[in-house]
Amino acid sequence: MKPEPAKLTVKIITLFPEMFPGHLGLSLSGKALEKRIWSLETVNPRYYTTDVHKTVDDSPFGGGAGMVMKPDILDRSLQAHLPLGRFIYMTPRGKPLTQAKAIELSQEPLLTILCGRYEGVDERLLEAYQAEEISIGDYVLSGGEQAAMILLDTVIRLLPDVIGNAGTHDEESFGNGLLEYPHYTRPAEWTGPDGILRKVPEILSSGHHAKVKDWRLEQSKAVTKERRPDLWSAYVVQNPENSKKTK
Ligand code: 6GU
């Protein structure tokens, strides 16, 4: 029997191909890689240089710190690996990665992800290829590679047959716009290093599925309100019965 083709092809443009697959070669995504549910190809722009120094970057016009990745070299790298499918550039200037974006990308057959190093990439290259710029959060990484791996982790776990239990996705954080409720397992009573005996909330052993569901929703709401006022506000807009009238 012929092996089935990969359901998602990923091309990574990176000066550090040794970083891949990295953690994506382990655990859930690693199994999926072995099963050819997704496949990975790295492209090193350094291969497409023509000078003796293999120059991939240059100083910024207008001056300033750092170096900028050259558009001509990246262009050759990309043209040698068409088609690109969805073309993504990982940058802290990008739109935030969300679970909705991960779901959207998990429906694509082909993703090409450009990983920047140094100060970034010549803007004209991004314009010419209509790059979709994505950030994984409001902090600065030294390169886009780790960001690309995080983005791919969010996408790969959503591919068919990667997580056995399909229902798993619905109840996790952000599935309903809330953070997840707390989880417990055996033993039902446990004494921690602080000497305090802690019991699992009684309701969870009651067998009342509807009550468990209500309790979990209340827990989700409480933790979201406390930790993520931004998510809570959005949730209340969608579920106005949660807006507390303050007299
Ligand atoms: Cl996508 N890239 C880099 N280099 N730093 C980041 C980032 C991406 N997202 C947050 N910080």
Side-chain angles (χ1 to χ4, degrees), residues 90-92 134-137 139-141 143-144 147:
M90 302 310 302
T91 168
I134 299 180
S135 166
I136 63 160
Y139 39 79
V140 181
L141 302 169

Side-chain angles (χ1 to χ4, degrees), residues 154-212:
T154 68
V155 170
I156 291 160
R157 60 190 293 284
L158 296 175
L159 296 176
D161 305 326
V162 174
I163 293 185
N165 175 6
T168 305
H169 295 314
D170 304 332
E171 293 194 1
E172 65 196 8
S173 290
F174 311 119
N176 56 3
L178 295 173
L179 301 180
E180 248 187 301
Y181 51 79
H183 301 276
Y184 299 88
T185 188
R186 275 172 290 277
E189 301 193 350
W190 174 74
T191 304
D194 54 6
I196 296 174
L197 173 73
R198 290 179 174 84
K199 301 179 181 179
V200 170
E202 229 168 277
I203 183 82
L204 297 178
S205 312
S206 70
H208 287 104
H209 295 299
K211 281 187 183 172
V212 168

